């Protein structure tokens, strides 16, 4: 009976997607992230090396609007190369390949920033469900599930020792009016924060985050007041 109630309310969709994403993907690839970035840095000594950015930057658009080609999402994002592949036998598939793409992000001062970045792929499932009559996901329900997915994933990763300091979640809401380089500016903001964090550690200073920035804690408060999966009904809110 409880299972049927949860299924009818779609209560655990985002919660399950977040755990599946972590167990089936992030927990596999993130512990290897630093090594891949170190190998790339040694092979490309001409590129600036900021160790704080040696992590996987995971884009979490709350609209669930995911581009398969980041270069089409923003012309200031340019593909460079792929990092070293990880090959494992998984669920009956021999030599399953896991890899990440490295991008050069151009900022407003024409400076290039380099990082591994990709979308959180389960958001594609949430978007597809909202387009499928069988799933009966409304746009409002999709937004609530995207928020719950972000919060759940953030809590999971915070408690994961294997993935510590190997990722950065970049959750954002796109502006109502289209902005050509919104995404690149969002990514660069996070890269600058990481760069400042590295300098602060080297100099022994405490990093002060600008009050105008929408950081994870602020977004977290906007998203939910509870860590538990919430029903999708939006009436009364």
């Amino acid at each position: 009976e409880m299972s049927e109630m949860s299924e009818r309310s779609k209560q655990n969709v985002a919660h399950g997607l977040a755990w599946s994403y972590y167990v089936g993907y992030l927990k596999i690839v993130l512990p290897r992230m630093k090594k891949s970035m170190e190998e790339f840095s040694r092979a490309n000594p001409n590129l600036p090396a900021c160790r704080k950015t040696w992590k996987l930057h995971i884009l979490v658009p709350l609209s669930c609007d995911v581009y398969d080609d980041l270069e089409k999402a923003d012309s200031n994002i340019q593909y460079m190369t792929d990092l070293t592949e990880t090959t494992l036998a998984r669920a009956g598939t021999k030599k399953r390949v896991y890899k990440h793409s490295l991008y050069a992000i151009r900022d407003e001062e024409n400076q290039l920033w380099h990082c591994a970045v990709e979308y959180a792929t389960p958001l594609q499932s949430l978007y597809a469900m909202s387009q499928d009559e069988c799933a009966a996901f409304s746009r409002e329900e999709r937004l609530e599930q995207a928020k719950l997915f972000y919060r759940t994933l953030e809590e999971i990763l915070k408690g994961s020792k294997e993935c510590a300091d190997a990722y950065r979640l970049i959750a954002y809401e796109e502006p109502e009016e289209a902005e050509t380089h919104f995404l690149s500016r969002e990514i660069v903001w996070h890269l600058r924060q990481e760069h400042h964090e590295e300098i602060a550690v080297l100099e022994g200073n405490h990093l002060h985050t600008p009050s105008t920035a929408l950081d994870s804690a602020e977004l977290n408060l906007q998203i939910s007041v509870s860590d538990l999966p919430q029903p999708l009904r939006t009436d009364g809110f």
Side-chain angles (χ1 to χ4, degrees):
E1 184 178 351
M2 288 297 296
S3 177
E4 290 178 359
M5 289 174 62
S6 293
E7 185 176 349
R8 283 197 299 269
S9 68
K10 309 179 187 70
Q11 188 173 16
N12 295 317
V13 172
H15 190 76
L17 284 175
W19 272 103
S20 178
Y21 184 47
Y22 167 69
V23 174
Y25 180 64
L26 295 181
K27 193 175 181 180
I28 298 170
V29 301
L30 290 182
R32 297 169 170 82
M33 197 68 209
K34 293 286 185 184
K35 182 180 178 181
S36 295
M37 292 299 297
E38 286 174 1
E39 291 174 353
F40 176 82
S41 184
R42 284 197 300 267
N44 299 271
N46 56 315
L47 295 179
C50 174
R51 289 182 175 271
K52 270 289 183 179
T53 64
W54 288 4
K55 56 187 67 174
L56 183 61
H57 298 77
I58 303 170
L59 302 176
V60 186
L62 298 183
S63 66
C64 297
D65 193 4
V66 172
Y67 285 81
D68 289 325
D69 189 340
L70 274 170
E71 293 174 306
K72 291 182 179 179
D74 190 322
S75 60
N76 277 351
I77 303 175
Q78 296 296 318
Y79 168 79
M80 288 184 61
T81 187
D82 290 330
L83 297 177
T84 306
E85 296 179 351
T86 295
T87 305
L88 300 171
R90 293 284 293 176
T93 301
K94 293 184 179 294
K95 297 182 180 180
R96 176 166 290 182
V97 175
Y98 299 86
K99 66 179 180 180
H100 311 287
S101 296
L102 194 74
Y103 289 87
I105 318 293
R106 189 177 303 277
D107 66 16
E108 65 275 5
E109 298 173 356
N110 218 32
Q111 178 183 351
L112 291 178
W113 300 74
H114 303 90
C115 71
V117 58
E118 63 189 46
Y119 285 100
T121 52
L123 295 178
Q124 287 182 310
S125 297
L126 285 177
Y127 188 86
M129 290 176 71
S130 71
Q131 304 298 307
D132 194 309
E133 292 182 1
C134 295
F137 252 41
S138 69
R139 182 177 179 180
E140 291 76 17
E141 289 171 333
R142 185 183 70 200
L143 176 60
E144 290 304 312
Q145 288 296 290
K147 291 176 179 179
L148 178 57
F149 171 82
Y150 165 77
R151 186 180 177 92
T152 305
L153 183 61
E154 183 183 48
E155 291 300 316
I156 293 170
L157 288 171
K158 280 182 178 179
S160 174
K161 294 180 180 179
E162 302 98 320
C163 301
D165 203 34
Y167 70 92
R168 190 173 183 108
L169 297 179
I170 303 178
Y172 59 90
E173 291 188 88
E174 296 177 346
E176 292 183 4
E177 295 185 8
E179 296 182 22
T180 307
H181 300 303
F182 169 80
L183 184 56
S184 58
R185 287 200 302 271
E186 191 76 15
I187 297 172
V188 167
W189 185 89
H190 284 270
L191 294 175
R192 282 178 174 149
Q193 289 301 108
E194 291 167 338
H195 184 70
H196 293 330
E197 288 169 10
E198 182 175 61
I199 293 175
V201 170
L202 292 174
E203 295 180 351
N205 297 326
H206 176 70
L207 178 66
H208 176 69
T209 303
S211 59
T212 56
L214 181 64
D215 61 16
S216 175
E218 183 181 353
L219 182 56
N220 207 25
L221 290 173
Q222 291 180 346
I223 286 174
S224 176
V225 294
S226 171
D227 288 332
L228 298 175
Q230 300 295 310
L232 287 172
R233 292 182 62 83
T234 56
D235 45 328
F237 291 87

